[in-house]
Amino acid sequence: MKLEVEKELVRWKEAYDNVQKCAVNALSVALPGLGASKTPTYCCPVTLTIDRPNEVGEGRICVDDDIRATVELDTVPNPVIAEAVDALFGIAWFDGANGPLENEGPGTYNYDDEMTGGEYEVKLGEDGAGRVYISCIPIGFAVEFLDALSSAQENQRMRAAPV
């Protein structure tokens, strides 16, 4: 390989590594309790898990080679999911929702983002806790969603606190 090509390839790799590190930092700040985890051999290069379960559910976020995120969270309180989705996307944005998600019953609600190719699925569970699954979205969108979940959790906690 030509020396100048090799130097530029090294520069590109350093920039790529820095972008991935910044992505991990942004995701971790957006959802407190999220931290690095061992990455399974079949998975993305970076896996983050919630190391304080039940704050905003349990689960993981994977960051792939294209620095896109997949979010998988279980046992997220239904009101937290509903508030986050409605605040971030607007009312009745997801398929199957005819009004505010907090007024919808248990079920699965979807949104496919044609612009980014991301797929969003939220499930409001029968037992008051649901699931969030978001596939292959840009890091910025994942950070916004995780921040909306974290903010909704804080809002729900403040509403439940004795006055």
Side-chain angles (χ1 to χ4, degrees):
M1 185 179 302
K2 295 177 193 145
L3 182 58
E4 58 270 7
V5 172
E6 190 173 336
K7 285 167 67 174
E8 290 306 313
L9 187 57
V10 167
R11 283 178 39 139
W12 171 83
K13 177 69 170 120
E14 289 171 352
Y16 174 86
D17 290 346
N18 188 50
V19 168
Q20 194 151 41
K21 179 182 172 189
C22 291
V24 167
N25 289 342
L27 291 164
S28 298
V29 169
L31 187 63
L34 195 61
S37 177
K38 184 177 180 189
T39 300
T41 54
Y42 61 85
C43 198
C44 299
V46 175
T47 301
L48 305 168
T49 59
I50 294 180
D51 59 10
R52 293 183 306 182
N54 299 321
E55 288 290 315
V56 185
E58 301 172 335
R60 68 181 182 166
I61 289 96
C62 297
V63 180
D64 68 16
D65 287 324
D66 295 323
I67 311 179
R68 295 172 65 85
T70 295
V71 177
E72 299 176 66
L73 300 174
D74 292 311
T75 64
V76 180
N78 287 348
V80 171
I81 294 171
E83 184 176 331
V85 167
D86 288 344
L88 191 58
F89 291 94
I91 304 300
W93 191 267
F94 279 41
D95 294 337
N98 297 314
L101 207 52
E102 68 181 332
N103 295 341
E104 298 293 332
T108 301
Y109 304 91
N110 299 288
Y111 166 59
D112 293 333
D113 185 345
E114 294 176 9
M115 186 174 72
T116 67
E119 298 175 1
Y120 296 75
E121 178 182 283
V122 296
K123 179 179 180 183
L124 301 180
E126 295 280 343
D127 62 352
R131 180 174 196 269
V132 173
Y133 180 79
I134 308 169
S135 177
C136 297
I137 60 172
I139 293 297
F141 290 19
V143 168
E144 289 174 351
F145 195 91
L146 295 177
D147 182 60
L149 279 177
S150 180
S151 295
Q153 174 68 18
E154 290 173 20
N155 292 341
Q156 295 291 323
R157 193 177 298 138
M158 288 189 328
R159 286 187 201 110
V163 181

